[in-house]
Amino acid sequence: SQTIHQWPATLVQPVGSPLSLECTVEGTSNPNLYWYRQAAGRGLQLLFYSVGIGQISSEVPQNLSASRPQDRQFILSSKKLLLSDSGFYLCAWSAAPGGQFFGPGTRLTVL
Amino acid sequence: SQELEQSPQSLIVQEGKNLTINCTSSKTLYGLYWYKQKYGEGLIFLMMLQKGGEEKSHEKITAKLDEKKQQSSLHITASQPSHAGIYLCGADSGGSNYKLTFGKGTLLTVNP
């Protein structure tokens, strides 16, 4: 069966510090991968998606970047965090038009 | 771009009562997905609907997609405290990237 992992679970970072959030998927090959941000416990905003290694599509201009160095690894990064980067970050995977499956999320607080 | 509107935004019911959450799309839906989320956790996949008039059930939760494929409803029968959480609908864009657009969610509280 497929599983998806995210870490860390929670993170508190000062403004201007770098960021690296990691997502890995097990039990499937060549999945589509997605990064979302959820504010105030509600609607999800798609940040990035990837259909293959090294292929990244950005949905919104922002202070963040994404990379996919391996087939089942997706990384969300920032060189300098802003207060507005605080939120709940979710990674998801999909391998067919049958829905996306989500990781447990990372709660990021920027102070 | 496709937009999804969910109603109501929040709902408080007494345990044992039935309830319905609605999701309306601005465009024809290729696929409609229902998820449940507890605060601070990831989304749990509930059901997928693709055909007009389709209806699916799992335990006490039933989801329907209308014939025009622009509206879906999620119905919970005899609600329990375990049903509490945020329910989100997501719509398939129809592309090979399988991107989903989500509604803003419905917060369900079930009082014992």
Side-chain angles (χ1 to χ4, degrees):
Chain A
S1 63
Q2 300 87 2
T3 55
I4 178 169
H5 304 278
Q6 284 187 246
W7 65 88
T10 59
L11 192 59
V12 180
Q13 293 284 96
V15 169
S17 64
L19 173 74
S20 181
L21 303 181
E22 190 164 341
C23 170
T24 59
V25 181
E26 297 176 356
T28 187
S29 296
N30 196 32
N32 286 1
L33 296 171
Y34 312 84
W35 276 114
Y36 292 88
R37 179 168 55 206
Q38 186 178 36
R42 294 296 191 97
L44 283 76
Q45 180 186 36
L46 179 63
L47 303 175
F48 301 94
Y49 70 92
S50 171
V51 298
I53 296 174
Q55 301 178 60
I56 307 295
S57 297
S58 174
E59 289 292 293
V60 292
Q62 60 202 307
N63 184 44
L64 302 169
S65 62
S67 62
R68 184 170 177 174
Q70 300 181 41
D71 181 44
R72 290 170 288 180
Q73 184 185 31
F74 206 20
I75 297 172
L76 185 68
S77 304
S78 174
K79 292 182 179 178
K80 291 185 178 182
L81 283 169
L82 306 173
L83 287 174
S84 57
D85 291 324
S86 292
F88 190 53
Y89 288 84
L90 289 158
C91 180
W93 72 272
S94 177
Q100 295 178 11
F101 300 92
F102 287 77
T106 295
R107 174 74 59 191
L108 172 66
T109 303
V110 183
L111 301 175
Chain B
S1 62
Q2 187 163 36
E3 292 185 358
L4 293 178
E5 185 171 331
Q6 282 188 242
S7 62
Q9 292 185 354
S10 62
L11 189 56
I12 302 173
V13 300
Q14 204 68 28
E15 183 177 0
K17 296 295 185 183
N18 302 338
L19 64 105
T20 299
I21 298 168
N22 294 301
C23 177
T24 302
S25 172
S26 58
K27 298 182 180 180
T28 300
L29 296 161
Y30 286 95
L32 191 286
Y33 305 85
W34 283 100
Y35 291 86
K36 179 186 175 184
Q37 183 184 29
K38 293 196 171 181
Y39 180 77
E41 300 182 7
L43 277 67
I44 298 171
F45 174 80
L46 295 175
M47 275 174 275
M48 173 185 71
L49 303 167
Q50 288 187 304
K51 300 176 183 178
E54 188 174 9
E55 179 176 320
K56 287 187 177 179
S57 294
H58 177 67
E59 297 182 341
K60 295 185 178 181
I61 300 177
T62 300
K64 299 178 184 179
L65 183 62
D66 75 338
E67 289 289 345
K68 293 184 178 180
K69 297 176 64 175
Q70 283 194 283
Q71 189 166 23
S72 178
S73 61
L74 186 80
H75 183 78
I76 299 177
T77 304
S79 58
Q80 300 169 349
S82 60
H83 288 127
I86 298 173
Y87 288 82
L88 296 106
C89 61
D92 191 333
S93 63
S96 60
N97 51 39
Y98 312 134
K99 290 197 301 181
L100 298 182
T101 301
F102 285 89
K104 293 185 178 179
T106 295
L107 175 61
L108 173 62
T109 303
V110 181
N111 289 326

